[in-house]
Amino acid sequence: MVPKIKIYGAERCHKSQYYIQFLKDLNLDFQFLDVETNEANAEALRSLYKNRRLNFPTIMIGEKKLRNPSDSELKKWIEKLS
């Protein structure tokens, strides 16, 4: 099964690493999509924004796009998955 949570980010980005650890701490399945090492991931992220910028980290929970969310906002949307 494909995870319902995707993180578009970069390995070197401390905020990306923060969200990865946050989701691991909650024992959630997610997919990390590095936009600096994979052009397809970068293009997928660009397609989410009208300005076509690499706005990372961006977290997709189902169809909901979260740009650099607070912990409470992230938890709220995770709870809606179950």
Side-chain angles (χ1 to χ4, degrees):
M1 186 176 145
V2 176
K4 293 181 182 173
I5 302 173
K6 296 178 183 176
I7 302 175
Y8 291 94
E11 198 65 46
R12 66 170 176 83
C13 171
H14 70 93
K15 287 298 278 185
S16 295
Q17 293 303 317
Y18 174 83
Y19 292 123
I20 289 168
Q21 191 59 53
F22 185 90
L23 295 173
K24 282 181 180 177
D25 289 346
L26 293 174
N27 293 317
L28 294 171
D29 287 333
F30 64 92
Q31 186 177 13
F32 174 67
L33 302 163
D34 195 313
V35 299
E36 290 189 327
T37 62
N38 184 305
E39 186 54 39
N41 293 341
E43 185 55 34
L45 178 57
R46 282 188 196 102
S47 73
L48 296 174
Y49 292 96
K50 287 181 182 165
N51 66 13
R52 309 256 320 136
R53 290 197 176 143
L54 288 176
N55 292 324
F56 64 85
T58 292
I59 301 172
M60 293 296 295
I61 299 179
E63 298 297 310
K64 178 65 179 171
K65 175 176 66 181
L66 301 168
R67 168 83 173 101
N68 213 357
S70 66
D71 289 0
S72 60
E73 184 181 15
L74 187 51
K75 281 182 182 173
K76 177 182 84 171
W77 286 100
I78 289 169
E79 288 168 5
K80 292 183 181 199
L81 279 179
S82 40

